[in-house]
Amino acid sequence: MKTQSLGITDIRVTRLGYGAMRIAGGWDKAKVDAAAIERGIRSLESAVEAGYNFIDHADIYGDTMSETIHGLALDRHPDWRDKLVVGTKCGIRFDDEPPGTPHRYDFSGEHIRWSIDESLKRLKLERVDLYQLHRPDWLADPDEIAAALVDIHQAGKVRYFGVSNFRPSLVAAVQSALPFPLVSNQVQISLLRLDAFEDGTLDQCLEKKMTPMAWSPLAEGRLAAAFDDKVPLPQSEHHLAAVARLRPVLADVAQAYGMTPLAIVLAWLMRHPSKIIPLYGSP
């Protein structure tokens, strides 16, 4: 698989990233049994065999179990430590963490410092290559965030930092407090979700040489549904109409290039000069 630089860094990542959100099979870790763990490990093995070298995690994926499965896979494949580029995220807290608190986004310095240690334990790594702030905390203090990121960087726990789902103004605010550059912004981008083209996100990535990563590049499976009878079609009238308009166009373009429609969907994203990395994972 072809590779590209991750932002302005010297890290080379594959043009497609492997999204590990679903490798645990669900969001309740109490239900992730030995069979589910084995399926998750096989999913990662298949991704590596297919040529992916960038694995995208978050501490909440699978209620922490996606990172745990990655760590168990490393026990079988110790060479992955040098072969794979691993990213994860922090900042989303579930209900009752700690007890009596609501679901929320938390970029406090205390939570960032605690989260990276917990992720490293689960991943069985001494450091991650990319650490991203997951979803905007409305009470985020750029100076407090910067102090925490500097601490964990100096401690050798993270090589580079990025953000996820950030509006350009918040990226700028956080960047203004940091002594090193943010190298990525992971946002939802697809043929059915064009906000990043219109709200300045991709313009900022071009300006700052940040790598945009597209989560849900198939629009949560809606674009797959257009060409696979086994995938349920979207229920909303808006998305049904959009898929209906796209289907013949994608079919024609795919035929012209001798490719599948879904390959065209991903190639359309990758054509942008910001070098979008679609995150393509297990269903």
Side-chain angles (χ1 to χ4, degrees):
M1 193 183 297
K2 292 182 178 180
T3 63
Q4 67 176 62
S5 295
L6 174 62
I8 63 170
T9 77
D10 58 356
I11 296 178
R12 301 293 297 182
V13 290
T14 43
R15 290 289 281 120
L16 290 173
Y18 186 76
M21 184 174 74
R22 291 187 171 90
I23 63 170
W27 289 87
D28 183 353
K29 64 183 175 184
K31 297 180 180 179
V32 182
D33 57 14
I37 290 172
E38 186 62 31
R39 287 193 297 271
I41 292 174
R42 288 203 302 270
S43 294
L44 289 171
E45 289 172 338
S46 296
V48 174
E49 290 170 5
Y52 291 86
N53 84 334
F54 175 65
I55 310 297
D56 175 69
H57 284 283
D59 53 5
I60 66 162
Y61 289 171
D63 193 8
T64 73
M65 285 305 298
S66 291
E67 289 181 333
T68 297
I69 289 170
H70 186 108
L72 294 172
L74 284 184
D75 290 339
R76 294 189 192 177
H77 305 281
D79 60 308
W80 285 6
R81 296 178 184 275
D82 298 320
K83 184 176 184 178
L84 298 181
V85 177
V86 178
T88 193
K89 311 178 201 69
C90 76
I92 300 178
R93 304 188 75 158
F94 290 129
D95 291 340
D96 291 322
E97 292 182 355
T101 58
H103 169 77
R104 66 204 187 281
Y105 305 143
D106 185 355
F107 286 162
S108 65
E110 178 184 12
H111 185 66
I112 292 171
R113 292 180 181 92
W114 176 83
S115 295
I116 185 60
D117 289 340
E118 295 301 305
S119 286
L120 291 174
K121 289 176 189 176
R122 290 187 290 266
L123 290 164
K124 298 188 179 181
L125 293 171
E126 294 182 355
R127 70 174 181 181
V128 292
D129 300 291
L130 179 65
Y131 201 47
Q132 297 178 112
L133 302 172
H134 203 159
R135 281 191 179 271
D137 171 7
W138 295 110
L139 299 178
D141 180 339
D143 291 327
E144 183 177 0
I145 291 171
L149 298 191
V150 168
D151 283 351
I152 62 180
H153 178 67
Q154 291 179 343
K157 298 174 182 179
V158 177
R159 293 180 69 184
Y160 298 103
F161 295 90
V163 296
S164 182
N165 304 296
F166 272 39
R167 59 193 182 276
S169 56
L170 185 55
V171 173
V174 173
Q175 181 63 79
S176 71
L178 285 168
F180 42 72
L182 296 167
V183 303
S184 64
N185 192 0
Q186 185 177 137
V187 294
Q188 188 174 10
I189 320 174
S190 73
L191 277 167
L192 296 181
R193 186 65 178 263
L194 304 176
D195 305 53
F197 293 91
E198 301 170 347
D199 64 11
T201 295
L202 293 179
D203 299 334
Q204 183 181 58
C205 286
L206 286 169
E207 178 192 4
K208 303 298 183 183
K209 294 182 169 52
M210 299 171 69
T211 295
M213 298 182 179
W215 64 267
S216 197
L218 299 184
E220 299 175 315
R222 295 183 179 94
L223 294 170
F227 298 96
D228 187 343
D229 293 337
K230 296 179 182 179
V231 179
L233 280 167
Q235 297 302 310
S236 75
E237 292 185 9
H238 170 73
H239 285 124
L240 282 170
V243 168
R245 291 195 302 272
L246 282 170
R247 189 197 307 258
V249 176
L250 288 171
D252 288 346
V253 175
Q255 184 176 18
Y257 284 92
M259 300 171 67
T260 66
L262 294 186
I264 295 298
V265 168
L266 297 176
W268 178 82
L269 287 172
M270 296 163 72
R271 174 62 182 83
H272 194 271
S274 63
K275 295 186 177 179
I276 297 169
I277 294 179
L279 298 173
Y280 196 78
S282 302

